[in-house]
Amino acid sequence: MYLVEKLYNDLVTDPDNKEGRKLIEEYSTTHADEPELIRRTGKDKNGSQCYRITEAACDDPDGSKVVYRFNDTFIELRTPFDDWRGLITLGAVGGLLPAGGIGVPMLVTDVIPTLVAGADLRTGEPLEFIDCLSLTVVLVVVVGWLWAMFHFGWRIFRLESFTQRRLLVRFNRRTRKVYVHRPSYAGGIVELDWECVTNSVSPRYGRTPGSVLGVPMALMWYPLETPHGRPEMVFVGRCAQSGDELERLWEFIRRYMEEGPQSVPRPRCIGKFPWPWRSVMASGSLAWPLFKMGGLRWLLPLVVLVSPAIACTATGHWISQLLCWEPVFPRRIRQACGEGIGAVIKARLIDAGAWLMAAAVGWGLYRFISSLLAQA
Protein backbone atom coordinates (compact mmCIF):
# COMPACT_ATOMS: atom_id res chain seq x y z
CA MET A 1 0.00 0.00 0.00
CA TYR A 2 1.37 3.39 -0.96
CA LEU A 3 -0.43 5.45 1.70
CA VAL A 4 2.75 6.77 3.34
CA GLU A 5 4.24 7.87 0.00
CA LYS A 6 0.96 9.52 -1.04
CA LEU A 7 0.60 11.43 2.22
CA TYR A 8 4.17 12.72 1.98
CA ASN A 9 3.69 13.70 -1.67
CA ASP A 10 0.47 15.54 -0.83
CA LEU A 11 2.29 17.33 1.98
CA VAL A 12 5.07 18.75 -0.21
CA THR A 13 3.07 19.37 -3.41
CA ASP A 14 -0.23 20.82 -2.18
CA PRO A 15 0.08 24.65 -2.36
CA ASP A 16 -2.73 25.03 0.16
CA ASN A 17 -1.00 22.88 2.78
CA LYS A 18 0.58 25.27 5.29
CA GLU A 19 2.65 22.54 6.94
CA GLY A 20 4.06 21.50 3.58
CA ARG A 21 4.98 25.06 2.61
CA LYS A 22 6.59 25.58 6.00
CA LEU A 23 8.61 22.37 5.64
CA ILE A 24 9.91 23.33 2.19
CA GLU A 25 10.77 26.83 3.37
CA GLU A 26 12.71 25.52 6.37
CA TYR A 27 14.68 23.03 4.30
CA SER A 28 15.37 25.66 1.63
CA THR A 29 16.56 28.38 4.06
CA THR A 30 17.31 27.37 7.64
CA HIS A 31 18.59 23.90 6.76
CA ALA A 32 19.89 24.68 3.27
CA ASP A 33 23.55 24.19 4.29
CA GLU A 34 22.92 21.09 6.39
CA PRO A 35 23.68 18.51 3.63
CA GLU A 36 27.12 20.04 3.08
CA LEU A 37 27.66 20.13 6.85
CA ILE A 38 26.84 16.43 7.12
CA ARG A 39 29.11 15.53 4.21
CA ARG A 40 31.98 17.58 5.70
CA THR A 41 31.72 16.77 9.41
CA GLY A 42 29.40 13.77 9.70
CA LYS A 43 27.07 15.72 12.01
CA ASP A 44 23.89 17.70 11.47
CA LYS A 45 23.07 21.12 12.96
CA ASN A 46 21.90 19.53 16.20
CA GLY A 47 25.25 17.81 16.61
CA SER A 48 23.83 14.33 15.97
CA GLN A 49 26.22 12.01 14.19
CA CYS A 50 25.14 10.82 10.73
CA TYR A 51 26.56 8.18 8.41
CA ARG A 52 28.18 9.58 5.27
CA ILE A 53 28.61 7.80 1.94
CA THR A 54 32.38 7.89 2.43
CA GLU A 55 32.51 6.06 5.77
CA ALA A 56 31.60 2.52 6.73
CA ALA A 57 28.63 1.92 8.99
CA CYS A 58 29.53 -1.68 9.89
CA ASP A 59 31.68 -4.62 8.83
CA ASP A 60 28.92 -6.99 7.67
CA PRO A 61 26.79 -5.48 4.86
CA ASP A 62 23.60 -7.40 4.15
CA GLY A 63 21.11 -7.03 1.29
CA SER A 64 19.21 -10.28 1.73
CA LYS A 65 15.46 -10.34 0.98
CA VAL A 66 15.39 -6.78 -0.36
CA VAL A 67 17.05 -6.94 -3.82
CA TYR A 68 15.14 -7.45 -7.09
CA ARG A 69 18.08 -6.97 -9.49
CA PHE A 70 21.84 -7.14 -8.94
CA ASN A 71 24.54 -6.68 -11.57
CA ASP A 72 27.70 -4.68 -12.27
CA THR A 73 25.72 -1.55 -13.25
CA PHE A 74 22.86 -1.24 -10.80
CA ILE A 75 20.95 -2.77 -7.92
CA GLU A 76 17.18 -2.56 -7.63
CA LEU A 77 15.59 -2.70 -4.19
CA ARG A 78 12.12 -3.13 -2.74
CA THR A 79 10.39 -0.70 -0.39
CA PRO A 80 9.23 -1.52 3.16
CA PHE A 81 5.49 -0.91 2.79
CA ASP A 82 4.96 -3.33 -0.12
CA ASP A 83 3.76 -5.95 2.40
CA TRP A 84 1.24 -3.58 3.95
CA ARG A 85 -1.54 -4.26 1.49
CA GLY A 86 -4.61 -6.44 1.23
CA LEU A 87 -7.12 -5.07 3.72
CA ILE A 88 -8.35 -2.29 1.40
CA THR A 89 -8.67 -4.72 -1.51
CA LEU A 90 -10.45 -7.26 0.67
CA GLY A 91 -12.88 -4.57 1.86
CA ALA A 92 -13.50 -3.36 -1.69
CA VAL A 93 -14.11 -6.89 -2.99
CA GLY A 94 -16.41 -7.56 -0.06
CA GLY A 95 -18.32 -4.36 -0.80
CA LEU A 96 -18.57 -4.97 -4.54
CA LEU A 97 -19.28 -8.68 -4.45
CA PRO A 98 -22.92 -8.52 -3.28
CA ALA A 99 -23.83 -5.71 -5.68
CA GLY A 100 -21.61 -6.77 -8.59
CA GLY A 101 -21.82 -10.54 -8.27
CA ILE A 102 -25.46 -10.87 -7.28
CA GLY A 103 -27.16 -7.50 -7.83
CA VAL A 104 -26.00 -6.81 -11.39
CA PRO A 105 -26.94 -10.27 -12.78
CA MET A 106 -30.31 -9.94 -11.06
CA LEU A 107 -30.86 -6.50 -12.63
CA VAL A 108 -29.88 -7.66 -16.11
CA THR A 109 -31.82 -10.93 -16.14
CA ASP A 110 -34.89 -10.08 -14.07
CA VAL A 111 -35.48 -6.58 -12.67
CA ILE A 112 -34.90 -4.39 -15.74
CA PRO A 113 -36.64 -6.72 -18.25
CA THR A 114 -39.64 -6.98 -15.90
CA LEU A 115 -39.90 -3.19 -15.51
CA VAL A 116 -39.56 -2.67 -19.26
CA ALA A 117 -42.22 -5.28 -20.05
CA GLY A 118 -44.50 -4.03 -17.29
CA ALA A 119 -45.50 -7.60 -16.55
CA ASP A 120 -44.25 -10.68 -14.75
CA LEU A 121 -41.93 -12.54 -17.15
CA ARG A 122 -43.03 -15.94 -15.84
CA THR A 123 -46.81 -15.55 -15.69
CA GLY A 124 -47.37 -12.59 -18.01
CA GLU A 125 -49.61 -10.85 -15.46
CA PRO A 126 -49.39 -7.02 -15.34
CA LEU A 127 -47.37 -5.58 -12.47
CA GLU A 128 -49.11 -4.02 -9.53
CA PHE A 129 -47.97 -0.65 -8.22
CA ILE A 130 -46.26 -2.23 -5.21
CA ASP A 131 -44.37 -4.59 -7.54
CA CYS A 132 -43.09 -1.72 -9.67
CA LEU A 133 -42.08 0.21 -6.56
CA SER A 134 -40.21 -2.80 -5.11
CA LEU A 135 -38.30 -3.46 -8.33
CA THR A 136 -37.45 0.24 -8.66
CA VAL A 137 -36.09 0.31 -5.12
CA VAL A 138 -33.90 -2.73 -5.88
CA LEU A 139 -32.61 -1.03 -9.04
CA VAL A 140 -31.82 2.23 -7.21
CA VAL A 141 -30.12 0.46 -4.29
CA VAL A 142 -27.84 -1.67 -6.49
CA VAL A 143 -26.89 1.14 -8.88
CA GLY A 144 -26.49 3.62 -6.02
CA TRP A 145 -24.27 1.24 -4.06
CA LEU A 146 -22.01 0.64 -7.07
CA TRP A 147 -21.81 4.38 -7.78
CA ALA A 148 -20.90 5.17 -4.16
CA MET A 149 -18.22 2.45 -4.09
CA PHE A 150 -16.55 3.76 -7.26
CA HIS A 151 -17.05 7.47 -6.55
CA PHE A 152 -15.86 7.52 -2.95
CA GLY A 153 -13.66 4.42 -2.80
CA TRP A 154 -11.71 4.57 -6.06
CA ARG A 155 -8.90 6.79 -4.76
CA ILE A 156 -8.50 4.62 -1.69
CA PHE A 157 -8.74 1.41 -3.71
CA ARG A 158 -5.97 2.61 -6.04
CA LEU A 159 -3.54 2.82 -3.13
CA GLU A 160 -2.94 -0.91 -3.61
CA SER A 161 -4.93 -2.14 -6.64
CA PHE A 162 -5.20 -1.07 -10.29
CA THR A 163 -1.84 0.61 -9.93
CA GLN A 164 1.77 -0.53 -10.29
CA ARG A 165 2.52 -3.74 -8.45
CA ARG A 166 5.52 -2.45 -6.50
CA LEU A 167 7.72 0.60 -5.96
CA LEU A 168 11.25 0.40 -7.33
CA VAL A 169 14.41 2.09 -6.07
CA ARG A 170 17.38 1.62 -8.42
CA PHE A 171 20.97 2.59 -7.61
CA ASN A 172 23.19 3.02 -10.69
CA ARG A 173 26.88 3.08 -9.76
CA ARG A 174 28.02 4.18 -13.24
CA THR A 175 25.80 7.26 -13.54
CA ARG A 176 25.87 7.85 -9.75
CA LYS A 177 22.11 8.26 -9.80
CA VAL A 178 19.21 6.92 -7.76
CA TYR A 179 16.07 6.24 -9.80
CA VAL A 180 12.71 5.95 -8.03
CA HIS A 181 9.60 4.52 -9.70
CA ARG A 182 6.31 5.41 -7.97
CA PRO A 183 2.71 6.08 -9.10
CA SER A 184 2.06 9.70 -10.07
CA TYR A 185 -0.08 10.27 -6.96
CA ALA A 186 2.84 9.10 -4.77
CA GLY A 187 5.56 11.25 -6.33
CA GLY A 188 6.03 9.71 -9.77
CA ILE A 189 9.34 8.79 -11.37
CA VAL A 190 12.31 10.85 -10.22
CA GLU A 191 16.08 10.86 -10.79
CA LEU A 192 18.26 11.87 -7.84
CA ASP A 193 21.99 12.33 -7.25
CA TRP A 194 23.70 9.71 -5.11
CA GLU A 195 26.25 12.26 -3.90
CA CYS A 196 23.48 14.33 -2.29
CA VAL A 197 21.77 11.57 -0.31
CA THR A 198 21.35 11.63 3.46
CA ASN A 199 19.89 8.76 5.44
CA SER A 200 17.89 8.10 8.58
CA VAL A 201 20.43 5.59 9.96
CA SER A 202 22.31 6.94 12.95
CA PRO A 203 25.16 5.45 15.01
CA ARG A 204 23.16 6.22 18.15
CA TYR A 205 20.70 3.44 17.22
CA GLY A 206 23.44 0.86 17.69
CA ARG A 207 22.09 -2.59 18.46
CA THR A 208 18.86 -1.35 20.01
CA PRO A 209 15.67 -3.18 18.96
CA GLY A 210 13.06 -1.40 16.89
CA SER A 211 9.29 -1.31 17.29
CA VAL A 212 7.00 -4.29 16.87
CA LEU A 213 6.23 -3.46 13.23
CA GLY A 214 9.82 -2.48 12.50
CA VAL A 215 11.55 0.72 11.43
CA PRO A 216 12.02 1.61 7.73
CA MET A 217 15.20 3.16 6.38
CA ALA A 218 14.60 6.53 4.73
CA LEU A 219 16.87 8.18 2.18
CA MET A 220 16.43 11.96 1.95
CA TRP A 221 17.32 14.75 -0.45
CA TYR A 222 17.04 18.45 0.40
CA PRO A 223 15.02 20.80 -1.87
CA LEU A 224 18.05 22.53 -3.39
CA GLU A 225 19.42 19.14 -4.48
CA THR A 226 16.33 17.73 -6.22
CA PRO A 227 15.24 18.37 -9.83
CA HIS A 228 11.83 19.74 -8.79
CA GLY A 229 12.88 21.88 -5.80
CA ARG A 230 10.99 19.84 -3.20
CA PRO A 231 12.41 17.58 -0.47
CA GLU A 232 12.44 13.90 -1.37
CA MET A 233 12.12 11.01 1.05
CA VAL A 234 12.43 7.44 -0.25
CA PHE A 235 11.96 4.36 1.92
CA VAL A 236 14.18 1.40 1.05
CA GLY A 237 14.38 -2.26 2.07
CA ARG A 238 12.24 -3.94 4.72
CA CYS A 239 11.07 -2.65 8.06
CA ALA A 240 14.07 -3.45 10.25
CA GLN A 241 13.74 -4.94 13.72
CA SER A 242 16.90 -3.23 15.03
CA GLY A 243 19.34 -0.42 14.35
CA ASP A 244 21.91 -3.08 13.50
CA GLU A 245 19.76 -4.28 10.59
CA LEU A 246 19.44 -0.73 9.29
CA GLU A 247 23.21 -0.29 9.44
CA ARG A 248 23.86 -3.50 7.48
CA LEU A 249 21.43 -2.51 4.72
CA TRP A 250 22.86 1.00 4.43
CA GLU A 251 26.38 -0.39 4.31
CA PHE A 252 25.33 -2.82 1.56
CA ILE A 253 24.04 0.05 -0.59
CA ARG A 254 26.98 2.33 0.24
CA ARG A 255 29.66 -0.24 -0.54
CA TYR A 256 28.00 -1.21 -3.81
CA MET A 257 27.87 2.41 -4.97
CA GLU A 258 31.30 3.42 -3.65
CA GLU A 259 33.38 0.27 -4.05
CA GLY A 260 31.52 -1.91 -6.57
CA PRO A 261 29.58 -5.20 -6.55
CA GLN A 262 32.65 -7.25 -5.57
CA SER A 263 32.71 -5.52 -2.15
CA VAL A 264 29.34 -6.90 -0.99
CA PRO A 265 27.98 -10.45 -0.65
CA ARG A 266 25.88 -11.31 -3.68
CA PRO A 267 22.27 -11.48 -2.49
CA ARG A 268 19.60 -13.91 -3.57
CA CYS A 269 17.27 -11.79 -5.67
CA ILE A 270 13.51 -11.64 -5.03
CA GLY A 271 11.19 -12.86 -7.77
CA LYS A 272 8.48 -10.57 -9.09
CA PHE A 273 5.74 -12.98 -10.19
CA PRO A 274 2.76 -12.76 -7.78
CA TRP A 275 2.57 -16.36 -6.62
CA PRO A 276 0.03 -16.87 -3.80
CA TRP A 277 2.63 -18.23 -1.35
CA ARG A 278 4.55 -14.96 -1.60
CA SER A 279 1.44 -13.18 -0.33
CA VAL A 280 1.23 -15.63 2.57
CA MET A 281 4.89 -14.95 3.40
CA ALA A 282 4.35 -11.19 3.16
CA SER A 283 1.36 -11.30 5.52
CA GLY A 284 3.17 -13.65 7.86
CA SER A 285 6.15 -11.30 8.04
CA LEU A 286 3.90 -8.64 9.57
CA ALA A 287 2.88 -11.02 12.35
CA TRP A 288 6.31 -12.58 12.93
CA PRO A 289 7.45 -9.91 15.44
CA LEU A 290 4.52 -10.92 17.66
CA PHE A 291 5.89 -14.46 17.82
CA LYS A 292 9.34 -13.18 18.75
CA MET A 293 7.86 -11.13 21.59
CA GLY A 294 6.29 -14.13 23.30
CA GLY A 295 7.90 -17.25 24.68
CA LEU A 296 7.32 -20.82 23.52
CA ARG A 297 4.39 -21.22 25.91
CA TRP A 298 2.52 -18.52 23.96
CA LEU A 299 3.38 -19.94 20.53
CA LEU A 300 0.31 -22.16 20.04
CA PRO A 301 -2.24 -19.56 21.24
CA LEU A 302 -0.61 -16.95 19.00
CA VAL A 303 -0.79 -19.27 16.00
CA VAL A 304 -4.50 -19.91 16.65
CA LEU A 305 -5.27 -16.21 17.10
CA VAL A 306 -3.17 -14.84 14.25
CA SER A 307 -3.78 -17.49 11.55
CA PRO A 308 -7.23 -16.17 10.46
CA ALA A 309 -5.86 -12.64 10.19
CA ILE A 310 -2.88 -13.86 8.14
CA ALA A 311 -5.21 -15.83 5.87
CA CYS A 312 -7.46 -12.80 5.27
CA THR A 313 -4.65 -10.32 4.64
CA ALA A 314 -2.80 -12.84 2.44
CA THR A 315 -5.93 -13.28 0.31
CA GLY A 316 -6.35 -9.54 -0.06
CA HIS A 317 -2.63 -9.11 -0.73
CA TRP A 318 -2.72 -11.70 -3.52
CA ILE A 319 -5.86 -10.25 -5.13
CA SER A 320 -4.33 -6.76 -5.12
CA GLN A 321 -1.15 -8.14 -6.74
CA LEU A 322 -3.20 -9.77 -9.50
CA LEU A 323 -5.06 -6.51 -10.16
CA CYS A 324 -1.85 -4.49 -10.71
CA TRP A 325 0.80 -4.21 -13.42
CA GLU A 326 4.57 -4.49 -13.33
CA PRO A 327 6.37 -1.11 -13.37
CA VAL A 328 9.04 -0.44 -16.00
CA PHE A 329 11.40 2.52 -16.04
CA PRO A 330 11.28 4.90 -19.03
CA ARG A 331 13.51 4.18 -22.00
CA ARG A 332 16.06 6.84 -21.09
CA ILE A 333 16.65 5.34 -17.65
CA ARG A 334 16.71 1.78 -19.01
CA GLN A 335 19.39 2.77 -21.51
CA ALA A 336 21.45 4.41 -18.76
CA CYS A 337 21.22 1.13 -16.85
CA GLY A 338 22.16 -1.00 -19.86
CA GLU A 339 18.69 -2.53 -20.28
CA GLY A 340 16.98 -3.23 -23.59
CA ILE A 341 13.50 -4.15 -24.74
CA GLY A 342 13.88 -7.46 -22.90
CA ALA A 343 13.05 -5.79 -19.56
CA VAL A 344 9.74 -4.54 -20.96
CA ILE A 345 8.88 -7.93 -22.48
CA LYS A 346 9.63 -9.71 -19.20
CA ALA A 347 7.41 -7.28 -17.26
CA ARG A 348 4.54 -7.73 -19.72
CA LEU A 349 4.87 -11.52 -19.55
CA ILE A 350 4.58 -11.31 -15.76
CA ASP A 351 1.44 -9.18 -16.21
CA ALA A 352 -0.05 -11.65 -18.71
CA GLY A 353 0.47 -14.56 -16.32
CA ALA A 354 -0.95 -12.62 -13.37
CA TRP A 355 -4.01 -11.43 -15.30
CA LEU A 356 -4.72 -14.94 -16.62
CA MET A 357 -4.56 -16.17 -13.03
CA ALA A 358 -6.93 -13.37 -11.99
CA ALA A 359 -9.34 -14.30 -14.82
CA ALA A 360 -9.31 -17.94 -13.71
CA VAL A 361 -10.02 -16.96 -10.11
CA GLY A 362 -12.81 -14.60 -11.21
CA TRP A 363 -14.39 -17.24 -13.43
CA GLY A 364 -14.30 -19.80 -10.62
CA LEU A 365 -15.88 -17.30 -8.24
CA TYR A 366 -18.59 -16.50 -10.81
CA ARG A 367 -19.43 -20.17 -11.27
CA PHE A 368 -19.59 -20.64 -7.51
CA ILE A 369 -21.99 -17.72 -7.06
CA SER A 370 -24.09 -18.86 -10.01
CA SER A 371 -24.47 -22.31 -8.50
CA LEU A 372 -25.55 -20.78 -5.19
CA LEU A 373 -28.15 -18.62 -6.95
CA ALA A 374 -29.42 -21.59 -8.92
CA GLN A 375 -29.91 -23.59 -5.75
CA ALA A 376 -31.73 -20.68 -4.13
Side-chain angles (χ1 to χ4, degrees):
M1 182 168 61
Y2 312 139
L3 177 62
V4 174
E5 289 82 2
K6 183 183 186 304
L7 291 176
Y8 180 78
N9 183 68
D10 291 344
L11 175 68
V12 298
T13 58
D14 187 0
D16 297 327
N17 192 310
K18 295 181 179 179
E19 293 296 327
R21 293 204 313 270
K22 181 181 178 181
L23 176 68
I24 295 176
E25 183 178 352
E26 287 182 356
Y27 275 98
S28 300
T29 55
T30 308
H31 298 281
D33 59 343
E34 193 166 56
E36 183 60 33
L37 179 66
I38 294 174
R39 288 191 285 269
R40 191 176 67 252
T41 66
K43 296 183 179 180
D44 59 18
K45 284 192 170 184
N46 296 324
S48 300
Q49 190 174 354
C50 305
Y51 283 124
R52 297 175 287 180
I53 63 175
T54 56
E55 61 183 354
C58 64
D59 297 325
D60 51 345
D62 182 24
S64 59
K65 300 181 181 179
V66 300
V67 179
Y68 290 126
R69 303 279 303 279
F70 182 95
N71 54 48
D72 291 341
T73 304
F74 68 87
I75 54 173
E76 188 175 88
L77 273 63
R78 57 162 288 177
T79 56
F81 303 119
D82 286 350
D83 294 342
W84 295 23
R85 66 196 306 165
L87 292 180
I88 292 178
T89 300
L90 208 60
V93 171
L96 288 173
L97 195 59
I102 300 176
V104 171
M106 184 172 61
L107 293 184
V108 173
T109 61
D110 190 14
V111 175
I112 295 178
T114 300
L115 286 175
V116 172
D120 192 312
L121 298 179
R122 299 177 182 82
T123 63
E125 296 181 359
L127 295 177
E128 299 289 341
F129 172 77
I130 189 64
D131 297 328
C132 293
L133 181 61
S134 300
L135 293 175
T136 303
V137 169
V138 171
L139 176 63
V140 171
V141 168
V142 172
V143 174
W145 179 258
L146 291 174
W147 176 85
M149 287 291 295
F150 282 103
H151 182 74
F152 296 107
W154 178 248
R155 291 184 179 181
I156 301 176
F157 189 43
R158 282 209 64 201
L159 290 175
E160 59 180 39
S161 297
F162 292 105
T163 183
Q164 63 187 65
R165 193 170 285 123
R166 68 193 83 251
L167 305 186
L168 300 177
V169 185
R170 181 175 291 188
F171 299 84
N172 189 317
R173 59 181 297 266
R174 301 193 187 279
T175 62
R176 310 287 288 175
K177 297 288 186 180
V178 180
Y179 306 107
V180 185
H181 198 308
R182 302 168 295 200
S184 57
Y185 61 76
I189 300 172
V190 66
E191 177 181 328
L192 303 162
D193 291 323
W194 165 253
E195 310 290 346
C196 300
V197 67
T198 58
N199 62 80
S200 62
V201 185
S202 174
R204 67 179 181 271
Y205 291 156
R207 306 270 168 170
T208 57
S211 64
V212 174
L213 295 177
V215 179
M217 183 177 75
L219 304 181
M220 296 160 286
W221 285 262
Y222 285 69
L224 298 180
E225 299 176 328
T226 61
H228 44 58
R230 299 188 299 270
E232 275 286 353
M233 181 165 59
V234 179
F235 297 100
V236 182
R238 299 186 302 166
C239 286
Q241 298 301 315
S242 67
D244 176 53
E245 188 176 342
L246 290 174
E247 288 179 349
R248 292 200 302 268
L249 176 58
W250 166 249
E251 182 63 13
F252 176 84
I253 299 171
R254 190 201 69 81
R255 284 196 192 183
Y256 177 87
M257 292 295 287
E258 295 297 313
E259 303 173 17
Q262 74 285 348
S263 64
V264 295
R266 189 176 186 87
R268 183 178 179 181
C269 294
I270 309 171
K272 291 185 176 181
F273 192 82
W275 296 111
W277 53 82
R278 285 182 176 154
S279 294
V280 175
M281 293 172 62
S283 300
S285 67
L286 298 179
W288 179 245
L290 298 176
F291 292 97
K292 293 198 297 183
M293 289 176 58
L296 290 177
R297 61 194 180 94
W298 297 107
L299 184 59
L300 184 59
L302 279 174
V303 170
V304 174
L305 290 173
V306 175
S307 293
I310 293 178
C312 290
T313 55
T315 301
H317 186 284
W318 186 50
I319 294 174
S320 72
Q321 292 269 295
L322 297 181
L323 297 178
C324 293
W325 58 84
E326 201 63 39
V328 177
F329 280 101
R331 182 178 180 182
R332 178 181 58 82
I333 296 179
R334 295 201 312 271
Q335 288 178 341
C337 296
E339 286 187 315
I341 192 64
V344 180
I345 295 175
K346 183 178 180 180
R348 298 293 79 86
L349 287 175
I350 292 175
D351 290 338
W355 295 339
L356 285 174
M357 193 180 296
V361 172
W363 175 251
L365 189 61
Y366 170 76
R367 292 295 301 272
F368 175 72
I369 294 175
S370 298
S371 65
L372 290 180
L373 292 176
Q375 294 175 2

